[in-house]
Amino acid sequence: MRSKGTGFRAYTIAYLIFLYAPIVLLPIFAFNNSTIIAFPLAGFTTNWFRELATIPALHHAVWNSLVIAVSTSILSTCLGVFAARASTRYDFPGKGPIIGFIMLPLVLPEIIVAVSLLVVLLGIGIELSAWTVILGHVLICTPFSIAILNSAFQSLDKSLEEAAIDLGETRWSTFRLITFPLIMPGIISSLLISFTISLDEFIIAFFLTGTQPTLPVYIWSQLRFPTKLPSIMALGTILVALSITLLIIAEYFRRRGIARSGGQDAGGFL
Amino acid sequence: MGATGANRGQPAIMDAKTRWGRFRRSEAASGLLLISPTALYALLMLAVPLAAILLYSVLTDGYLTVEWTPTLANYAEAWGDPLYRQVMLRSLFVSATVTLVTVLLAYPVAYYVSFHVSPSRKSLWLFLITIPFWTSYLIRVFLWKVILGFNGVVNSSLMTLGIIDEPLTFILYNVNAVVITLAHAYAPFAILPIFVALEKIDRSLLEASQDLGESRLLTFWRVTLPLSMPGVVAAVLIVFIPTIGDYVTPQLVGGPEGRMISNAIQLQYLRLDNYPLGSALAVSAMAIVTAVSLVFLFLNRRFLRVRQQ
């Protein structure tokens, strides 16, 4: 069967080129010595990267985004551990609907999440800040955490926990000494994925951020000014390099987790 | 971890005598207790807000405030105004086209990775497919503007090659640009569910089909495709539902004739401060998406039943 795959292979490679086209262009324009984002190229420069160091508004936005992304990843991973543990280990009434509802933000248009949270927060008089963005981001990151942690818990051998309990450990110490170390790769992978999603999320941040813009909101505000575009390209290059690095680390831990619990590698993150 | 008392003997036995005590130690109680933080969060941050926009959508918009007078005027405007109707129909059309294009283009990729890539390299291919998805969405969309623009990559290379004399204008600031950009953004969402469904197919069924004299093409049509339909259905929904609410793409590459429903919702909320009308538009959009998804699921119920057997 494998020999017949050449046509499919060529198609898949063409599809990958389509997927990567925009990302490949990014560094090209970031190093291009011209204020206009178009071909033909004008020469090599690192000015656009140096310009980034001189914009205080950008630095504030980066700091905001980092605070939000770190808080979001920790909170959504905690909520994810609870839900993934409950859904893989226990049977309880209403399990399907409850899990389904928690996973709903995965398919719900983000603008709906954003406006509905905005209405409630303003309705009860909470001022928009980094915290309100965190509330929204935790909501949309938790389903991803659950999906990752579900596979970590599923590949866990139940008899290890039972053995620990039989040998006199309590439920909690079993979790701490046996379960937790075994799902650690899943937890790290969930932290990294939530961090990446939160760092990149625009719509919810756009609606809920108040006066302190996050990085994507800052980028959005700059896209209107043609002279700012080359430095945005430079910023984008840094971001892409950063997220690819984070992803490789996350993928490494995910695979190590599967290898550690002796399972078969069944695919990617989702 | 509410079961630490299990070893203490006496209280546990006394507990077990009452119905509540039995429930408290049961698997159901432990599960519910464990999931409650996450469920509670979803309830407060999702169920309550969704209920709130439902409520807002039937209130009257006053000057700077919202008045507590129930009305259906917002819905009358959202559904009756030709402008909103046009935007809504366009959103549906764009989403449906994006879904069709994305799923059709994604199927062969998922098929290739599932059937023609050796098992040890599958996760590498999936990783390659998902990487672009995790890079800045805003910047990706903006780069499509660069690619499709008047002096963009497509136009300048076609002109250098002498294929066209003047830049193509039908590829930016209209519905085509929105479809291309969204089909790019949602590619992994379509590939992964189809891949998972293809992976689950028992390969001996395909051998059986061919042993019994079916051609490769007919084997695909009568065995592989029906068995992979749960994945296709999932892919359709997972692309269709979020794309209808996409804001960034129509705003950046759509131009005035490519605006979609989320642009209208954003306008009402953040610019015109008309929360009731914005809520009515949001609720209507959700209702339409839900209705279309349910009809789609109903039409495909035959394939989904196969999975449960």
Side-chain angles (χ1 to χ4, degrees), chain B residues 121-141:
Chain B
R121 313 207 60 177
K122 277 180 185 172
S123 57
L124 177 70
W125 276 90
L126 291 180
F127 190 54
L128 281 177
I129 290 165
T130 39
I131 281 182
F133 164 72
W134 294 107
T135 58
S136 172
Y137 181 56
L138 275 183
I139 289 177
R140 254 185 300 150
V141 175

Side-chain angles (χ1 to χ4, degrees), chain B residues 48-162:
Chain B
V48 171
L50 289 179
I53 54 168
L54 205 60
L55 175 68
Y56 264 77
S57 70
V58 292
L59 297 180
T60 312
D61 182 49
Y63 178 70
L64 289 179
T65 53
V66 172
E67 285 160 27
W68 291 84
T69 332
T71 174
L72 286 175
N74 303 310
Y75 284 102
E77 194 173 347
W79 288 79
D81 189 326
L83 191 75
Y84 292 128
R85 211 173 340 170
Q86 195 199 355
V87 168
M88 197 63 232
L89 284 175
R90 184 189 299 137
S91 306
L92 271 174
F93 170 76
V94 168
S95 273
T97 317
V98 168
T99 310
L100 189 72
V101 169
T102 313
V103 172
L104 281 182
L105 290 178
Y107 197 97
V109 176
Y111 186 86
Y112 170 73
V113 177
S114 180
F115 281 79
H116 295 294
V117 170
S118 68
S120 58
R121 313 207 60 177
K122 277 180 185 172
S123 57
L124 177 70
W125 276 90
L126 291 180
F127 190 54
L128 281 177
I129 290 165
T130 39
I131 281 182
F133 164 72
W134 294 107
T135 58
S136 172
Y137 181 56
L138 275 183
I139 289 177
R140 254 185 300 150
V141 175
F142 180 76
L143 283 162
W144 277 105
K145 194 170 159 177
V146 173
I147 294 173
L148 301 172
F150 194 76
N151 294 319
V153 178
V154 170
N155 276 328
S156 52
S157 33
L158 286 180
M159 277 166 61
T160 320
L161 293 171

Side-chain angles (χ1 to χ4, degrees), chain A residues 9 11 19-20 79 91 135, chain B residues 27 38 41 105 112 128 184:
Chain A
R9 189 185 171 84
Y11 174 80
L19 284 185
Y20 279 84
L79 290 177
D91 239 342
L135 288 179
Chain B
E27 191 178 314
T38 319
Y41 191 85
L105 290 178
Y112 170 73
L128 281 177
H184 178 264

Side-chain angles (χ1 to χ4, degrees), chain B residues 287-303:
Chain B
I288 291 172
V289 168
T290 313
V292 172
S293 308
L294 289 178
V295 168
F296 182 76
L297 279 175
F298 179 75
L299 291 176
N300 285 287
R301 65 194 183 285
R302 191 166 72 87
F303 300 115

